[in-house]
Amino acid sequence: CALADEAGGVAFARAEAHAHALREMQMASALRHALERQELRLVYQPQVSLSSGAIVGLEALARWHSPQWGEVPPTEFIGVAERSGLIGALGQWVLDTACRQWVTWRAAGLQAPRVAVNVSPHQLRRGDLALAVQRVLLDTGMDPRGLGIELTESAVMDDPARAGQALSELRALGVEVALDDFGTGYSSLACLRSLPIDVVKLDRSFVSDLDSAPESMALTRAILTMAHGLGMQVLAEGVENEEQLNLLRSKGCDLIQGYWFSPPVAAEALAERLATGWRLAARHLSRDDGRR
Ligand code: C2E
Ligand code: MG
Ligand code: MG
Ligand code: MG
């Protein structure tokens, strides 16, 4: 009978919601200890210039190996941290760890490029992001030019006035600012124009269907034209193959990041590779046609 079916459906949905809430609670409590128990680590993914071939940035990405849950993806535990109020401590740990790592690399004589740290919407909303960054720079003795901050387009557009203020303060410190996952939010061009941004990170979803969806290509072109017109660089995320690389290069994309060049790697492995002068092969570079 339809009524019984419906009741069963409701009971099932309730049970599922309950299981979900329980998992969230348990994971938040595990994450709280993860910071103290050193279960978190950072891996680093190179960002490469298509004009020079040099690795100009390293995006720091958080990893959590939980004894209870195994390897938990950041898309899941960052969300848990945001909802449970742990994101402040976690974000601080990420910033601190990335800066210390950069200082360690430099002290070892390595030409470590800039490290780019992801900052969550919550860290932006608190209103003391630049102050927190400044404190870490002082604590670690890091050169501000060695640090980049990535904020998602949607976090920035949530409150463009406040974000603009924070971004200006970061820039005044000498820190590079990048707009992450660009194209997935709903920025107005007028808004983007007034924001102090160095790099626009074209979202992976555009890159992944660049060769199959004409709309993605059209949007990519439009974003490149707009960003360059505003004096910003464009980095394409999630470049996985040579076809994507060639398309992006031919359209004047400045920087790429993705599995094709390298997945995120551990600090130790990265140091070894940096020491060998790791870079993009000359045949993959853009020919300088005097456009920029
Ligand atoms: P994101 O900042 O956009 O980072 C890029 C993500 O794309 C990373 O996923 C990276 O591993 C993945 N990726 C890189 N190249 C490729 C590729 O060629 N193909 C594919 N399919 N994926 C690629 P990851 O490490 O799982 O991180 C996911 C998201 O979690 C990040 O997206 C960022 O929003 C968030 N996140 C990671 N670490 C942190 C952190 O320390 N703090 C904050 N607030 N968020 C973080
Ligand atoms: Mg990012
Ligand atoms: Mg991104
Ligand atoms: Mg992304």
Side-chain angles (χ1 to χ4, degrees):
C1 121
L3 212 64
D5 258 11
E6 210 169 282
V10 169
F12 180 75
R14 273 211 195 111
E16 216 174 45
H18 179 74
H20 184 82
L22 192 65
R23 181 182 163 89
E24 170 100 7
M25 227 174 64
Q26 290 172 335
M27 200 171 268
S29 127
L31 190 55
R32 192 163 289 125
H33 299 295
L35 276 162
E36 303 152 23
R37 296 180 189 159
Q38 301 183 335
E39 294 166 9
L40 290 162
R41 66 189 193 283
L42 293 181
V43 289
Y44 299 86
Q45 187 177 36
Q47 303 175 326
V48 196
S49 159
L50 290 180
S51 55
S52 71
I55 299 174
V56 295
L58 296 169
E59 180 171 6
L61 294 157
R63 295 291 178 263
W64 177 26
H65 186 87
S66 153
Q68 184 183 358
W69 309 91
E71 201 69 28
V72 184
T75 42
E76 184 167 11
F77 72 77
I78 295 290
V80 171
E82 293 221 346
R83 292 185 293 272
S84 62
L86 288 168
I87 194 67
L90 198 153
Q92 189 63 37
W93 177 85
V94 171
L95 194 55
D96 198 66
T97 304
C99 290
R100 285 185 200 286
Q101 185 60 68
W102 188 88
V103 170
T104 304
W105 279 326
R106 286 287 169 126
L110 281 170
Q111 279 307 308
R114 178 184 298 120
V115 287
V117 172
N118 291 286
V119 163
S120 83
H122 171 88
Q123 289 171 280
L124 186 63
R125 274 196 304 270
R126 276 177 46 144
D128 62 351
L129 179 60
L131 195 66
V133 166
Q134 188 176 27
R135 217 174 280 136
V136 172
L137 290 171
L138 286 171
D139 280 357
T140 57
M142 183 174 189
D143 181 343
R145 287 167 302 180
L147 181 64
I149 292 291
E150 295 194 0
L151 277 158
T152 62
E153 179 191 18
S154 48
V156 168
M157 293 310 155
D158 207 34
D159 187 348
R162 168 173 293 187
Q165 173 71 27
L167 298 183
S168 303
E169 289 168 9
L170 286 171
R171 257 214 182 158
L173 292 174
V175 170
E176 191 187 83
V177 174
L179 201 54
D180 211 345
D181 302 344
F182 189 79
T184 57
Y186 301 91
S187 318
S188 77
L189 296 186
C191 217
L192 195 65
R193 196 187 62 167
S194 64
L195 288 169
I197 286 158
D198 301 295
V199 178
V200 166
K201 294 189 75 175
L202 183 67
D203 191 67
R204 190 170 77 216
S205 58
F206 292 98
V207 176
S208 65
D209 53 21
L210 215 48
D211 45 359
S212 55
E215 318 83 70
S216 284
M217 182 50 99
L219 277 164
T220 298
R221 279 177 198 266
I223 290 170
L224 278 158
T225 305
M226 176 203 66
H228 288 158
L230 295 173
M232 301 168 186
Q233 287 198 306
V234 177
L235 181 151
E237 308 189 303
V239 176
E240 293 182 349
N241 58 53
E242 215 166 312
E243 288 81 87
Q244 292 166 348
L245 169 81
N246 291 337
L247 280 169
L248 289 160
R249 187 182 49 211
S250 72
K251 301 298 174 240
C253 184
D254 307 281
L255 308 152
I256 57 152
Q257 177 178 354
Y259 296 162
W260 178 77
F261 184 77
S262 170
V265 287
E268 307 74 48
L270 193 79
E272 278 168 31
R273 300 188 74 172
L274 284 177
T276 66
W278 192 23
R279 62 198 290 110
L280 192 61
R283 67 176 186 284
H284 295 303
L285 302 186
S286 320
R287 257 174 246 112
D288 186 8
D289 55 9
R291 233 170 5 103
R292 267 172 296 141

